Amino acid sequence: MKRRSQSNHLILLAALLPGVGHIVLGKRGRGIRLLVVTIAVILVMYWRWEVFVSAFHSTRIDHWLAAVFLIVSLAASVTYSVWDVRRLLTEIPMATRGKSPYQLARRRFRANRLAVTAVYVITAFYILAVLAPLLAPYDPSAITDVLKTRFLPPSMDHPFGTDAFGRDLLSRALYGARVSLSVGLLAVMIAISMGTVYGAVAGYFGGFIDNVLMRIVDVVIAIPTFFLMLMLVGIFEANLVFLVLILGLTSWPGTARFIRGEILSLKQREFTEAARAIGLPNRLIIFRHLIPNALSPVLVSTALMIGGMIGAEAGLSFLGIGIRPPTPSWGNMISQGKDALLVAWWVAFFPGALLALTVVCFNLLADGIRDALDPKALMQRFV
C-alpha cells in the first residue's frame, strides 16, 4: 500500500513538473532534458504572451502553427513524463531481460558525444525555425528609417546587427532557417522515397526490368546535376515548392543504386525464400521485409543528403536564382552581405556561420548513425 502511494505521488509529480519524477528515479539525463524542454516552452509562452495569443487570430498559418506547436510540445512533455515514469516503476530489471538490436544501436549512438550534440543542435534549429513568428523580435521584411538603421553592428536591440536596408538580421536568420531547413528536409524525403522504391523494385525483380531501370539511372547520373538545376531555376520562376521538387527529383539515383545492391543480397536470404514459400505477394515482400532490412545505409545517406541539400539551396540563392528577396534564406542573406564585408562583416557572417554549423552537424549525425549501425566502425575508433 505504501509503495502504491509513493508511485502515485511520483506520477503526480511527473504530471505537474515533467522531468522531476525521472530525476527521483535516478534517470537524471532524461529528467533534465524533459525539465529543460518544459521550462523553455513555459518561458517562451510567458515572454511572448501577447504574440502567442494574437497568433490564434492571425490569418497567417505559420503564426497559428507556431502557437499550436508550443501547446502540443507542453502537452507531449507532460504525457511522455507520466507514461515513462509509470513504465519505469514497473520496469523489469536490466539483468533479467535482453536487449534488442535497436537498444544496442541506440547505446552505441549515445556513446558518440559529437553525434548526440549534433542531434541537439539540429533539433534546436528546427524548433527555432517553427517558432520564428513568435521569437523574431522584428518583422524580417520591415524597412523603416534606412539612414538611421542600416548597417547597425550587433547590440542588445539587434543581436545580429542590421543589413543595408535596416532590417534586423536575427529575425531574418530565424525566418531564413525555415526556408533553408525545410528545403533540405523535404527535398531529401522526395529523393530517398523515390530512390528506395526504385532501387528495391530493380533489385528484387532483376533481369530485364533491372537492366532497363538501371540504364535510366545511369542516364540521370550522367547529367550534370548542378548545371541542370541552374538551367531549370533560370528558366522557371524559383519558389520554395519548385526548388524542393528540383533538388529532390535530381538526387534520387544514388540512393537507388545502393538500395538495389542491398536488395540483391537480401532477396537470397532465408526469410525472403520463406515469404515466397507461404505465398506473400511481391508488394508485401518488398515493403515489409526487404526495404526495412536495407534501411541502414539509407539512414546514413539521409543525414548526409540533408546537409548537402541545404548547401545546394544556399548556393542557388547566393547566385540569385534560388529563393529571392525579400523572402529571407541563409543563401541570399550571405549574398547580400558579400558586398559589405569590409564595412559590415556581420551581414554575411551570422547566416554563414549558421549554415556551416548546420551542415557540419548533419555530417556528424551521419557519422554517428554509421557507427551505431556498424559496431566494427565504432570499435576501430577506439583501437
Side-chain angles (χ1 to χ4, degrees), residues 41 45 52 56 65-79:
V41 171
M45 294 175 67
F52 172 76
F56 293 101
L65 286 176
V68 171
F69 179 80
L70 281 180
I71 296 175
V72 172
S73 298
L74 187 59
S77 179
V78 173
T79 303

Side-chain angles (χ1 to χ4, degrees), residues 324-335:
R324 299 177 183 178
T327 302
S329 79
W330 289 344
N332 62 35
M333 290 177 67
I334 298 172
S335 178

Side-chain angles (χ1 to χ4, degrees), residues 21-347:
H22 291 81
I23 295 175
V24 172
L25 292 173
K27 302 293 183 179
R28 294 185 178 180
R30 199 180 310 172
I32 291 173
R33 287 193 294 270
L34 272 172
L35 190 60
V36 168
V37 169
T38 304
I39 293 175
V41 171
I42 293 174
L43 286 178
V44 170
M45 294 175 67
Y46 174 77
W47 174 49
R48 306 289 286 177
W49 179 254
E50 294 183 359
V51 181
F52 172 76
V53 173
S54 63
F56 293 101
H57 304 285
S58 175
T59 57
R60 295 183 54 177
I61 190 171
D62 57 340
H63 288 70
W64 187 82
L65 286 176
V68 171
F69 179 80
L70 281 180
I71 296 175
V72 172
S73 298
L74 187 59
S77 179
V78 173
T79 303
Y80 174 78
S81 178
V82 172
W83 171 82
D84 201 41
V85 166
R86 283 180 175 173
R87 184 184 64 83
L88 290 171
L89 289 171
T90 58
E91 187 179 43
I92 300 174
M94 292 290 290
T96 62
R97 63 187 177 95
K99 298 176 184 177
S100 67
Y102 167 75
Q103 290 173 323
L104 294 173
R106 185 176 64 178
R107 172 171 290 186
R108 290 192 293 267
F109 181 84
R110 292 173 62 183
N112 190 330
R113 294 186 178 181
L114 284 176
V116 173
T117 303
V119 170
Y120 289 147
V121 173
I122 291 169
T123 303
F125 279 178
Y126 273 99
I127 291 174
L128 291 175
V130 173
L131 297 179
L134 299 181
L135 298 179
Y138 302 94
D139 186 338
S141 301
I143 299 176
T144 54
D145 191 348
V146 176
L147 295 178
K148 292 183 179 180
T149 58
R150 71 191 305 264
F151 291 146
L152 292 178
S155 62
M156 292 298 295
D157 293 331
H158 302 281
F160 284 7
T162 61
D163 61 8
F165 299 99
R167 297 173 296 192
D168 180 65
L169 287 177
L170 175 58
S171 301
R172 291 184 63 78
L174 288 173
Y175 275 86
R178 298 195 310 171
V179 174
S180 298
L181 296 178
S182 60
V183 165
L185 181 62
L186 295 175
V188 167
M189 289 176 61
I190 294 174
I192 292 296
S193 300
M194 288 187 59
T196 299
V197 175
Y198 192 97
V201 171
Y204 179 77
F205 289 103
F208 176 76
I209 295 177
D210 182 34
N211 289 330
V212 171
L213 293 180
M214 295 317 294
R215 295 299 75 77
I216 295 175
V217 169
D218 293 338
V219 171
V220 175
I221 290 178
I223 300 173
T225 304
F226 188 73
F227 292 106
L228 176 63
M229 289 190 296
L230 287 178
M231 181 186 69
L232 291 175
V233 299
I235 294 174
F236 303 99
E237 181 182 357
N239 54 42
L240 183 61
V241 176
F242 181 77
L243 204 57
V244 167
L245 291 176
I246 290 298
L247 291 172
L249 295 177
T250 56
S251 304
W252 59 269
T255 302
R257 295 188 78 169
F258 63 71
I259 282 293
R260 170 185 174 270
E262 291 288 326
I263 297 299
L264 286 174
S265 173
L266 290 172
K267 75 175 184 178
Q268 306 298 331
R269 301 284 182 87
E270 290 79 3
F271 68 88
T272 307
E273 297 295 336
R276 291 197 192 99
I278 62 176
L280 285 181
N282 293 328
R283 172 177 54 84
L284 289 181
I285 295 176
I286 292 174
F287 288 98
R288 183 175 294 178
H289 297 282
L290 294 181
I291 289 181
N293 285 283
L295 285 182
S296 296
V298 173
L299 295 176
V300 179
S301 176
T302 299
L304 288 173
M305 286 180 66
I306 293 177
M309 292 292 185
I310 293 173
E313 180 277 325
L316 293 173
S317 298
F318 180 85
L319 295 174
I321 53 178
I323 303 298
R324 299 177 183 178
T327 302
S329 79
W330 289 344
N332 62 35
M333 290 177 67
I334 298 172
S335 178
Q336 293 168 3
K338 71 180 187 301
D339 297 326
L341 284 175
L342 297 180
V343 296
W345 55 267
W346 54 86
V347 178

